[in-house]
Each structure stands twice: as structure tokens, then as C-alpha cells.
Amino acid sequence: MLTPQDSDAVSPPERDGVDALDPQTVTVVSISDIHGYLGDARSALLTLADHPDYDAVVEKDAARRLHWAGGEEYVLVINGDLIDRGPQSERVVEMAERLIEEAPPGHVRVTAGNHEMGVLVPELYDWSRWYSGTRSDEERRAFLQAVLDGHVVAAYEGHNVTYSHAGQPDPFTAREVNEELVEGTQRLLGALGDSDEIETQERVVESLPRVFGYDGETGRGPNAGLTWLDFEYMPEDAPPQVVGHTRQDTPVRRGNVVCGNVIRNNRRKEGGEAVIVETPDSIAALGRDEDGDVVEYVFSLPTMDEPRA
């Protein structure tokens, strides 16, 4: 479960945001909620290669496996929920591992979604029928280490927006929430396989709700953390963000927040898969139409009353 073998650990500040790279030359690409649907993810990520105004971020080989093609000019944010629901969770994880290993350090970022939480704190979810709920202790140990190595984060700061799986209505910095994820992960790793593991998972969720918390019967209530919050509860004046989690037919924007979770709502028809593309001066979505052609949706830049912390 996401255990890159040949990639160095990513530490702050590269772990946390594009400003640690060469921000004026980097384009950020985001895809969310792949959920084991490898073909749809492949199609979405190849939209840049199929659009005349963009260079490729990935390329496919003869076996249709994706490989990094973005050099140092791109950062790819896989914005949570790689796994579960679809039939190819293992192959999606392998794709993410391969891209992490092939890209320059810090250029492929995986944010934890609520289904990755099913690997971190599995005793609190009844997901034994899904990929996340059937990981062995050794697989979980390796995934926890991937968090500590900075390959899996809670959030990542782009040029004008912050990327996380579900977002938050109030301001936060990627470094703050990433440190909270690391703190909780260290505690979970220390208790792995011990008699008090369930209690440790409960205490982590209770003490670090901004990252690990869920709310209400569905988990998606207004007090949920940034892996669970439903887009319904994102206010118009929320800080600038790109999120997934809540299903949409096309990428949408509410106030300062863009939601790009479109794969599952388009599973039963041609086209619809999309990525979000951010430069210092623009934010847009590239998606497929019913003929497989690439369509660009351009959003105005979010309004920021104050610089981000």
C-alpha cells in the first residue's frame, strides 16, 4: 500500500508546497478520487499530452503503464482516495509508486483521503470488504512509514490554492496539518500490533480532529476534518483550495474552492474524467468530452484577502 522503494524521503519545505521548488516555472496538476479506476485515471492524466497548449506530465508505454514525463516543470498532486470501490486499487497504487520513484523528489505528492484513513485507523471503520480494510500489518507498517517519509501528506500548497482531499472552512497551512498527520502516524506506528492499538487509534482521531476527524453518521458532517468534510459545508468565504471527496459531474467552484472529484459520476458514460491545472497566473480543468477530445474549463483565480501564512 503505497511504499515507494527507490525514492528519497521528502522533508519540509519541499514536502509542503511548491514555493520550495522553482515556483515560477512549475505547473501543478491535481487528480482526485481515482478509487481503483485505473483506466479513467490514465485518461485524465493524459489530457495534458493531448492538449496543444500543455506539455505531458505523464506518458504511457506499450503496456499502457504511465511514466513520469513532467521533468521538474510539473508537480502532480494525487488528491486522496486512490483506492477502494473500483476493481484495480492495487494497480493504481503501483502507478502512484512508479510516478513517485521516477519523478524528481517532491514532484509527486499524495494527499491522504478518507479511504487512506481506512488504512491508518482501520479498527474505526467497518471496511473489511474493501482494499483499505484488508491490508496486513506489514502493509500498514510500510504505508505509515511512507507518511513519515513525506510521500503521503495531509495538504500541499500550490501557487494560489491549498490542495487537500476534502478541505476545511477555516484557514490552515500545509505545514501545520502535515505535522499533525506525522504526529498521529508516529503514535499509530508505535501501537501497531499491540493490545492497545484500537485505543490508540481512537485517541489519535480524538486529539487530532483537523486531520483525522470525521463527523456524524456518514463521517462527512460540518465538523469533519480535511479528509472527510462534505463540499456542502464549504462556505463561500473559505480559503482558496482544491479538493475532491464530494462527487461532481464536472469540476466546479464554490467561492474560493474548486472541487475536482468527477471520475465516479462519469463512470457510466463516455468522457468526463478531468484534472485540475494550476500555474502562478491561472487555474483550469482539462477534461474529456464524449468523443474523447480534451476540453478546457477556465476558472478565475481565487480571491485572497490576506497572504497565506
Side-chain angles (χ1 to χ4, degrees):
M1 173 61 202
L2 201 70
T3 55
Q5 300 298 311
D6 299 312
S7 187
D8 294 335
V10 182
S11 302
E14 289 81 6
R15 179 195 66 183
D16 302 325
V18 72
D19 282 349
L21 305 175
D22 185 354
Q24 295 308 309
T25 65
V26 171
T27 296
V28 182
V29 177
S30 172
I31 183 172
S32 80
D33 297 87
I34 297 172
H35 277 300
Y37 293 111
L38 179 64
D40 299 272
R42 182 190 297 121
S43 177
L45 290 169
L46 287 169
T47 55
L48 288 97
D50 293 340
H51 192 287
D53 294 338
Y54 294 92
D55 294 326
V57 64
V58 296
E59 59 189 8
K60 62 181 178 181
D61 63 19
R64 303 186 70 198
R65 292 172 302 196
L66 294 187
H67 296 274
W68 185 254
E72 296 188 350
E73 288 72 47
Y74 280 108
V75 167
L76 173 62
V77 179
I78 305 176
N79 208 11
D81 282 8
L82 286 74
I83 55 173
D84 294 342
R85 301 191 185 279
Q88 295 179 300
S89 289
E90 190 70 48
R91 291 186 64 190
V92 170
V93 170
E94 290 171 358
M95 177 193 74
E97 290 174 340
R98 184 168 58 252
L99 294 175
I100 290 171
E101 292 167 358
E102 293 177 350
H107 283 254
V108 175
R109 319 305 299 124
V110 176
T111 66
N114 55 308
H115 284 262
E116 283 72 43
M117 285 291 157
V119 181
L120 292 171
V121 289
E123 300 299 335
L124 306 188
Y125 300 163
D126 183 20
W127 286 356
S128 58
R129 63 190 175 93
W130 280 342
Y131 179 89
S132 61
T134 57
R135 299 305 92 201
S136 68
D137 281 356
E138 285 309 304
E139 288 174 306
R140 289 188 56 232
R141 186 182 304 278
F143 182 63
L144 291 164
Q145 188 60 51
V147 175
L148 299 183
D149 288 343
H151 297 305
V152 180
V153 296
Y156 185 79
E157 290 180 0
H159 300 288
N160 301 289
V161 297
T162 298
Y163 297 81
S164 69
H165 181 61
Q168 284 289 274
D170 299 315
F172 64 93
T173 69
R175 177 149 192 168
E176 290 171 349
V177 295
N178 289 341
E179 289 300 323
E180 290 175 17
L181 178 61
V182 167
E183 177 188 342
T185 299
Q186 289 171 332
R187 292 159 60 185
L188 294 169
L189 185 59
L192 183 63
D194 290 349
S195 59
D196 65 344
E197 182 172 8
I198 296 176
E199 291 79 4
T200 298
Q201 292 182 21
E202 291 172 341
R203 288 195 296 269
V204 165
V205 171
E206 182 179 351
S207 63
L208 298 167
R210 183 163 58 171
V211 173
F212 290 88
Y214 48 89
D215 180 42
E217 291 185 4
T218 65
R220 307 167 68 100
N223 296 312
L226 53 72
T227 65
W228 271 103
L229 182 72
D230 196 284
F231 195 58
E232 173 186 358
Y233 301 112
M234 193 68 72
E236 293 278 341
D237 61 351
Q241 297 168 79
V242 168
V243 302
H245 188 49
T246 302
R247 291 162 58 178
Q248 312 291 340
D249 293 331
T250 62
V252 299
R253 176 176 169 180
R254 175 184 295 157
N256 288 325
V257 184
V258 174
C259 183
N261 175 9
V262 296
I263 285 179
R264 286 182 61 212
N265 268 20
N266 290 285
R267 283 286 303 152
R268 299 186 182 278
K269 56 187 177 183
E270 295 296 324
E273 58 272 29
V275 295
I276 308 297
V277 183
E278 184 201 10
T279 72
D281 304 314
S282 66
I283 186 165
L286 294 181
R288 301 280 181 187
D289 65 16
E290 61 185 8
D291 297 318
D293 296 327
V294 179
V295 179
E296 185 173 23
Y297 311 83
V298 178
F299 299 101
S300 59
L301 286 175
T303 300
M304 290 184 286
D305 295 331
E306 299 178 359
R308 287 181 303 180

